[in-house]
Amino acid sequence: MRFIRLSLISLAFISSLVMASPEEPVKGVDYITLKLPQEAKSAPGKVEVVEFFMYHCPACNAIEPDITEWLKKKGDKVEFRRIHLPYNGPKDPEAHLFLTLEALGLEQTMHAKVLKAWHIDHLRLRSDDDNIEWAIKNGIDKTKFIEAYNSFSVSASLMRLPKVSENYEVDNTPTFIVNGRYLTNAVMLSASNPKMNRNEVTQATFQVIDALVANILKERAK
């Protein structure tokens, strides 16, 4: 898990003042409200949930089975999508691979395979050549992949990612954004619930997301 600006000392201080209750999350403790709300896209009756992740991130890989199980239970209420945090700035090869797969309509079917490459097969996809070689080995048409990889739309999206991450106030992964307004992650919940183990923190993360989703749906129903 990568940390850029988030201060664990500050979060620890907050947790000493207010203990979290993930099922009834506390603003500033279990989640924060973004300074500038971002556009959220979802079907009627659903709430957008965005996961900011990185392919090489061990915590992102570890939480993936939990996301799958959560979506089986909550998929009728949420519109789930991912954004790759640009680890190496606007030319990050991991984010470049993600955006290319997304452009080809292959992100969902290939997501688990990319994680397997990094965390099981120990392949380090850290260059354009690495990405192209991996794509070919996984049955993706070389010409189509390179065309999408070098396309203006993918390149433009890649250049925008640092600003997108800044707008969402994301500085570590995995981080979840609910309805373009609320941010939560395991770092916050670990700090506010110091006695929880990793599995309990993961469960608490989804409890916070569920509570925020429920509150938004209630607001819409008024």
Side-chain angles (χ1 to χ4, degrees):
M1 188 178 294
R2 184 179 181 224
F3 307 98
I4 301 175
R5 299 189 304 269
L6 199 57
S7 170
L8 289 174
I9 296 175
S10 298
L11 287 173
F13 174 73
I14 292 173
S15 68
S16 70
L17 299 177
V18 184
M19 289 301 293
S21 175
E23 294 181 354
E24 297 181 5
V26 177
K27 180 179 176 181
V29 179
D30 302 305
Y31 70 95
I32 63 170
T33 300
L34 300 185
K35 297 180 181 68
L36 295 174
Q38 302 300 301
E39 180 183 7
K41 299 178 182 179
S42 60
K46 291 190 174 186
V47 175
E48 182 190 71
V49 176
V50 177
E51 180 203 13
F52 274 83
F53 83 105
M54 295 182 289
Y55 283 132
H56 77 267
C57 164
C60 299
N61 181 59
I63 204 173
E64 190 62 26
D66 299 287
I67 292 175
T68 300
E69 289 302 311
W70 174 70
L71 286 173
K72 288 179 181 178
K73 299 174 184 177
K74 302 293 182 178
D76 61 329
K77 295 182 180 179
V78 302
E79 197 83 44
F80 181 76
R81 66 185 181 97
R82 296 181 177 91
I83 297 177
H84 198 293
L85 190 68
Y87 184 73
N88 289 311
K91 293 186 178 181
D92 180 57
E94 293 179 56
H96 201 162
L97 175 59
F98 171 81
L99 290 169
T100 302
L101 293 175
E102 190 175 52
L104 291 169
L106 297 174
E107 188 274 320
Q108 290 189 13
T109 57
M110 290 293 176
H111 185 73
K113 293 184 178 181
V114 184
L115 292 178
K116 179 178 180 295
W118 273 94
H119 301 282
I120 304 299
D121 302 333
H122 303 293
L123 295 177
R124 299 298 179 248
L125 307 178
R126 292 191 171 121
S127 70
D128 295 342
D129 289 340
D130 290 340
N131 287 338
I132 294 169
E133 182 180 355
W134 176 88
I136 295 169
K137 285 183 178 180
N138 282 271
I140 301 175
D141 182 88
K142 180 179 180 179
T143 301
K144 291 182 179 178
F145 182 84
I146 293 176
E147 183 178 319
Y149 199 83
N150 295 325
S151 67
F152 173 79
S153 59
V154 167
S155 298
S157 295
L158 187 61
M159 292 296 293
R160 286 196 299 268
L161 270 185
K163 183 60 177 178
V164 170
S165 303
E166 180 182 341
N167 289 343
Y168 277 97
E169 302 177 40
V170 175
D171 49 28
N172 69 83
T173 58
T175 287
F176 297 89
I177 307 293
V178 181
N179 202 39
R181 293 161 55 191
Y182 307 115
L183 179 154
T184 190
N185 57 38
V187 175
M188 298 183 70
L189 288 160
S190 293
S192 58
N193 297 275
K195 294 183 180 181
M196 283 187 177
N197 61 37
R198 187 175 69 177
N199 290 335
E200 290 170 334
V201 169
T202 297
Q203 181 182 358
T205 301
F206 288 107
Q207 288 176 334
V208 170
I209 295 171
D210 288 343
L212 293 172
V213 167
N215 288 340
I216 292 164
L217 291 174
K218 286 180 183 178
E219 289 175 6
R220 291 179 183 173
K222 291 181 180 179

